Amino acid sequence: MPFSAPPPRPPQPQPNPPQQRSFRVLLASEFVSLVGDRLAMVALIALVFDLTRSVSVVAGLMLVKAVPAVLLGGLAGSVVDRLDRKAVMVGANALQGLLVLLIPATSHLTVVVTAYLAMSIVNQFFLPARAATIPDLVPPERLMAANSRFGLAFVTAIAVGPAVGGWVADRFGLAMAFYVDSATFLIPALAVATLVLPTTAHRRPTQSRVTLRSLLTATAEGMRHARTDRSTGVALTAATAAALVIAVMSVLGVVVAQDTLGLSVAGYGLMMSAMGAGMLVAALTIGSRRGGRGGGRGRGRGRGQGDGRRSGRGSERAPMIGLLLTGGGLAILPWLTTLLPALACSAVIGAGVLTVQISTQTTLQSAPPDLRARVISLGQSVTGLAQLTAIVLTAALTGPLGASWVLCGTGIATAAVALALSPRHSTPTSATKTPVTASPEGPHS
């Protein structure tokens, strides 16, 4: 029998060189900005505490960062969907770089808080613009892997930024830390300004002037998509549950470390580092997966429809697994009495949280291009609201129930959400079956 060579495999779609460069520059600029954020946070907390000697004021500073996400998230996405994303990213970075210079220019608390609030507001426009750009720079089947690289940059910045901030502040003074932070905005703004980004022809031209009513209408379109698209609804629900865990851990983690485990502040820091290590493992694991899957749809409404159902189930499993890891770890953590199991449990929680964040971000990026920024910013709103709610409930329930039961109850509730989000398999009828030779395009935004 004569030998016949197997048919050649179809070429895998790869980003062209300009898109490869754009992705790398965007990733590098994001890392620089994230390091600057963590650096400045150390200096800002130290400055505010020096000015007021009040822990309550420092806690209020954290709310200043969270409130804009709740109030402006959806509207910010509606604005971004009407504008050029590159211009938004460059302008937002440049404006934040200038605003941060106001902080070392004065010792007046009102000016410091106002500048920080303004930066938080501007950041609500940058985040959906950046996230909505990523799907235009990578092939569909590599979207989740691309998001894992941004997750890796985030985890690395958490590890590096505070240490750099403390060193700069001690060596050169608090003012220098803010000058460095300004540079970490202005340099990425210049870098992104040089990029050649894909055309945004999908964006509908604005035929009438922008009004609050038109923005609210556009925001409602994004919310309607979230209600009607199962993958998007699953992603938002999972992101909300993960945000609850982060908020509860940020409040009660130190209580478990000191009261249950008898650790010092350094021991608490070790537990937080273990969470970071778990996040790092999750980012590397997801990033190394061959052909990391994205969310549930193709680039537009007419593309990738044949694979949407199949890939949607895959994209829904990742947040479910992440929530199970997070919920299980959180339910067990408050009952541990030795350090090594607690560190392992913290690492599992961190891995679960980042798995949820990467997978849900990928799904939200899979919205139709003309809705993408709105859906992404809607995620910012719901997670911000979840964190504020969790902080209030944690403060109210810890007294009567105790920190251990609040943590355990949150973990059990998170695991229950994961089970409720389990993908529902259905046997396709003859009318809905798709041929085996359907388009190989993977999910994408």
Side-chain angles (χ1 to χ4, degrees):
M1 181 175 180
F3 173 78
S4 59
R9 298 180 64 182
Q12 296 296 317
Q14 296 293 332
N16 59 41
Q19 290 177 337
Q20 288 179 336
R21 176 184 177 275
S22 296
F23 177 80
R24 290 168 183 160
V25 171
L26 193 63
L27 177 61
S29 65
E30 178 71 0
F31 174 71
V32 171
S33 294
L34 286 170
V35 171
D37 285 345
R38 304 299 158 179
L39 179 154
M41 183 55 63
V42 171
L44 187 64
I45 290 175
L47 175 62
V48 171
F49 188 71
D50 286 345
L51 292 175
T52 65
R53 311 305 300 179
S54 171
V55 175
S56 298
V57 175
V58 173
L61 192 67
M62 301 301 100
L63 294 179
V64 166
K65 185 175 180 64
V67 168
V70 177
L71 299 181
L72 295 178
L75 286 176
S78 299
V79 173
V80 171
D81 274 333
R82 292 171 176 264
L83 301 175
D84 180 74
R85 292 171 187 152
K86 175 180 172 180
V88 173
M89 288 188 287
V90 172
N93 268 332
L95 186 54
Q96 289 184 84
L98 296 176
L99 285 169
V100 75
L101 293 176
L102 295 175
I103 296 177
T106 179
S107 59
H108 199 287
L109 180 64
T110 302
V111 176
V112 172
V113 173
T114 301
Y116 188 57
L117 175 61
M119 291 175 63
S120 300
I121 291 173
V122 173
N123 199 42
Q124 297 310 307
F125 296 88
F126 171 83
L127 291 175
R130 188 265 297 163
T133 300
I134 296 173
D136 294 330
L137 303 179
V138 296
E141 72 281 0
R142 297 297 301 168
L143 181 56
M144 187 174 287
N147 281 321
S148 74
R149 294 188 183 184
F150 278 86
L152 181 60
F154 171 74
V155 174
T156 306
I158 290 177
V160 173
V164 173
W167 179 80
V168 170
D170 286 344
R171 185 75 179 269
F172 304 102
L174 287 176
M176 180 58 68
F178 296 110
Y179 297 145
V180 174
D181 186 38
S182 177
T184 65
F185 283 115
L186 297 177
I187 293 174
L190 293 175
V192 174
T194 67
L195 298 184
V196 178
L197 298 181
T199 180
T200 52
H202 62 269
R203 193 169 293 109
R204 294 172 296 181
T206 304
Q207 298 178 347
S208 59
R209 65 188 182 91
V210 178
T211 64
L212 179 59
R213 182 175 180 178
S214 67
L215 291 178
L216 291 174
T217 301
T219 303
E221 291 179 4
M223 297 175 66
R224 190 177 305 113
H225 173 81
R227 290 197 306 268
T228 57
D229 183 79
R230 171 171 167 77
S231 294
T232 302
V234 167
L236 290 175
T237 303
T240 300
L244 289 172
V245 171
I246 294 171
V248 173
M249 273 295 292
S250 66
V251 175
L252 297 181
V254 68
V255 177
V256 171
Q258 295 185 0
D259 293 353
T260 303
L261 296 172
L263 302 176
S264 64
V265 176
Y268 170 63
L270 192 59
M271 285 182 59
M272 295 301 100
S273 294
M275 285 188 65
M279 291 181 176
L280 178 62
V281 170
L284 292 173
T285 301
I286 296 173
S288 65
R289 288 178 57 194
R290 184 178 178 182
R293 286 186 175 184
R297 304 217 189 283
R299 284 187 186 273
R301 294 186 181 276
R303 185 176 176 184
Q305 296 290 349
D307 281 345
R309 183 171 53 254
R310 182 176 59 221
S311 61
R313 289 199 298 266
S315 66
E316 290 175 16
R317 292 192 186 98
M320 183 189 71
I321 294 171
L323 288 180
L324 285 175
L325 291 174
T326 302
L330 192 64
I332 296 171
L333 178 63
W335 311 115
L336 300 177
T337 56
T338 53
L339 179 59
L340 287 181
L343 294 180
C345 210
S346 297
V348 169
I349 294 172
V353 166
L354 198 70
T355 298
V356 173
Q357 291 178 339
I358 292 174
S359 58
T360 55
Q361 178 81 328
T362 302
T363 300
L364 297 182
Q365 289 170 332
S366 301
D370 59 332
L371 290 172
R372 191 183 297 161
R374 275 171 278 179
V375 173
I376 292 170
S377 61
L378 180 61
Q380 295 172 209
S381 292
V382 298
T383 54
L385 181 61
Q387 289 183 330
L388 290 178
T389 303
I391 291 172
V392 173
L393 290 178
T394 300
L397 295 177
T398 300
L401 298 180
S404 295
W405 281 109
V406 171
L407 285 167
C408 182
T410 303
I412 293 173
T414 302
V417 171
L419 297 177
L421 296 180
S422 176
R424 298 182 179 89
H425 298 276
S426 59
T427 303
T429 64
S430 60
T432 59
K433 287 182 179 179
T434 55
V436 177
T437 58
S439 168
E441 289 179 319
H444 195 39
S445 55

